Amino acid sequence: MVLGYDKDQKNLMVLLVRRKNPPYQGYWALPGGFVEEDETLEQAALRELEEETSVKDLFIEQLYTFGQPQRDPRGRVVSVAYYALINLSKHRLKARSDAAEASWFAIDQLPALAFDHADILNTALTRLRNKVRYQPIGFELLPDEFTLRQLQDLYESVLGLPLNKRNFRSRILKLGILEKTGKQEGVAHRPATLYRFNKEKYRLLEQENYTNLLKRGLDFEI
């Protein structure tokens, strides 16, 4: 499963494919398929994603194993789900293999999904909403340079709730993991400051075991 963020529409997006073959022919589904004998689970996930959508070169993380009986009308199927977070502008979609179409959908405007893929998606969203409170994973969904307003819009989309502007900015800047890169150019309004995520500073915080600081800084609901 691949999640992205549309910064213009301020929507969290999921990548879906329209199934070309039965079962659930014509339905939208998460990209996926069966593991071949000579590959690992992760290799299979990456191969199926590229074969069906042309999206490749991603870092993926194992999500959960889904094995309820009768979840697939073809027989007993156990699925190991993976998920990835990407910047939409860096990947072009092109349906291939047994996918008739590939497209991005806002998570609050989804079509009916094949199999138990709605449950898989909900599991991924729960994982993301929990994880975004203690790790700065949201930066993977944004351009390399972004404003604090764009960063807050992203967090609000992921968490599904409004955040206090002053509180958000104070907490995120106090962590010291953002660095200024300049000002916006070519905008009609007053140009905002641009920032980028400093991965090295974040790694240093992790190594120094500043777990509580990171959690307090990123848990904006508190």
Side-chain angles (χ1 to χ4, degrees):
M1 173 189 327
V2 182
L3 296 170
Y5 178 67
D6 185 332
K7 63 182 179 62
D8 296 322
Q9 298 299 318
K10 302 177 184 178
N11 284 328
L12 189 63
M13 314 290 286
V14 61
L15 176 56
L16 299 177
V17 295
R18 190 189 293 275
R19 290 180 58 81
K20 189 185 296 184
N21 303 313
Y24 291 99
Q25 184 176 10
Y27 275 71
W28 289 94
L30 299 170
F34 293 100
V35 182
E36 296 181 353
E37 292 185 3
D38 61 345
E39 62 185 359
T40 66
L41 295 175
E42 184 172 319
Q43 288 170 339
L46 292 169
R47 172 183 55 76
E48 286 287 347
L49 178 64
E50 182 178 359
E51 286 180 356
E52 294 187 351
T53 69
S54 301
V55 172
K56 59 182 180 179
D57 300 326
L58 302 183
F59 170 76
I60 60 175
E61 181 177 334
Q62 192 171 126
L63 174 64
Y64 194 73
T65 300
F66 298 84
Q68 289 294 325
Q70 288 82 52
R71 60 184 298 273
D72 190 319
R74 292 169 293 191
R76 188 74 168 99
V77 175
V78 175
S79 293
V80 180
Y82 285 79
Y83 78 105
L85 306 176
I86 69 169
N87 183 330
L88 295 181
S89 64
K90 294 183 178 180
H91 298 272
R92 293 182 178 273
L93 299 185
K94 183 180 179 181
R96 299 166 50 193
S97 183
D98 58 351
E101 189 177 352
S103 184
W104 291 101
F105 286 85
I107 59 169
D108 58 353
Q109 300 174 22
L110 294 175
L113 298 182
F115 306 102
D116 57 352
H117 289 189
D119 293 335
I120 297 176
L121 176 57
N122 287 333
T123 300
L125 292 176
T126 299
R127 170 77 64 86
L128 178 62
R129 286 165 180 159
N130 288 333
K131 198 169 184 178
V132 80
R133 292 186 174 98
Y134 63 87
Q135 286 186 358
I137 58 175
F139 297 108
E140 300 172 47
L141 298 165
L142 288 170
D144 293 335
E145 295 183 327
F146 49 85
T147 66
L148 291 180
R149 178 69 258 179
Q150 290 171 335
L151 181 60
Q152 183 173 338
D153 287 341
L154 167 63
Y155 270 79
E156 290 179 339
S157 296
V158 171
L159 295 172
L161 51 84
L163 302 172
N164 179 274
K165 178 180 177 180
R166 180 177 296 179
N167 182 49
F168 177 88
R169 296 187 176 202
S170 173
R171 286 182 175 227
I172 199 72
L173 291 176
K174 190 178 293 186
L175 290 174
I177 57 176
L178 298 184
E179 57 184 34
K180 295 180 182 180
T181 62
K183 293 280 189 178
Q184 286 179 310
E185 296 182 357
V187 293
H189 52 78
R190 181 181 177 183
T193 301
L194 292 171
Y195 293 84
R196 67 183 169 207
F197 174 53
N198 189 314
K199 294 182 180 179
E200 186 58 35
K201 286 186 178 180
Y202 172 67
R203 281 201 275 289
L204 287 175
L205 281 179
E206 284 189 309
Q207 291 170 5
E208 293 171 6
N209 199 25
Y210 283 8
T211 305
N212 290 334
L213 172 63
L214 288 167
K215 181 169 176 54
R216 289 198 305 272
L218 292 165
D219 195 351
F220 301 110
E221 283 191 275
I222 298 176

